[in-house]
């Protein structure tokens, strides 16, 4: 009775070898890219923001802009603006004060 035996392949499997080589190249490229990006982040110094002027404060809703105070404290100016608005019978946000100056 004849027995069937598998033929012994003495040649290496080139397809499997090619796949292993491609995977090895991809892993090597990924490792090199990771090292390069790590060096770039280490080499780039973290720049602290330069001290600059403070950004302008936006006006309050309904306000008419800035008021220049000449020799008057802000608290006193606020009281004067409230008194003027009350005497005129108008809301404070409808009035526009350009400057307040103390008269002696």
């Amino acid at each position: 009775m004849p027995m069937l035996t598998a033929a012994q392949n003495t040649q290496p499997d080139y397809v499997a070898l090619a796949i292993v080589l491609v995977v090895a190249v991809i892993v090597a490229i990924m490792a090199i890219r990771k090292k390069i990006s790590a060096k770039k982040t280490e080499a780039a110094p973290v720049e602290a923001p330069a001290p600059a002027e403070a950004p302008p404060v936006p006006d309050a809703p309904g306000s008419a802009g800035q008021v220049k105070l000449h020799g008057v404290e802000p608290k006193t100016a606020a009281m004067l603006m409230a008194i003027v608005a009350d005497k005129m019978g108008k809301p404070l946000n409808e009035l526009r004060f350009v400057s307040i100056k103390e008269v002696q």
Side-chain angles (χ1 to χ4, degrees):
M1 196 151 135
M3 291 183 74
L4 296 173
T5 59
Q8 292 183 354
N9 190 359
T10 57
Q11 297 177 345
D13 191 6
Y14 292 114
V15 175
L17 182 63
I19 291 174
V20 169
L21 287 176
V22 168
V23 170
V25 169
I26 291 173
V27 169
I29 291 172
M30 289 172 48
I32 291 170
R33 283 184 143 183
K34 187 174 181 180
K35 279 187 178 181
I36 291 172
S37 67
K39 284 182 181 180
K40 283 183 180 178
T41 56
E42 288 176 6
V46 177
E47 295 181 20
E53 296 179 17
V57 178
D59 295 334
S63 69
Q66 300 291 325
V67 177
K68 295 180 184 176
L69 303 178
H70 303 283
V72 181
E73 292 184 21
K75 185 176 180 179
T76 307
M79 293 182 99
L80 290 171
M81 290 190 291
I83 292 169
V84 170
D86 185 56
K87 293 286 184 182
M88 292 182 73
K90 295 234 177 203
L92 187 59
N93 63 349
E94 289 182 9
L95 299 177
R96 181 166 187 252
F97 295 91
V98 177
S99 67
I100 299 176
K101 181 169 131 179
E102 182 180 3
V103 178
Q104 296 190 13

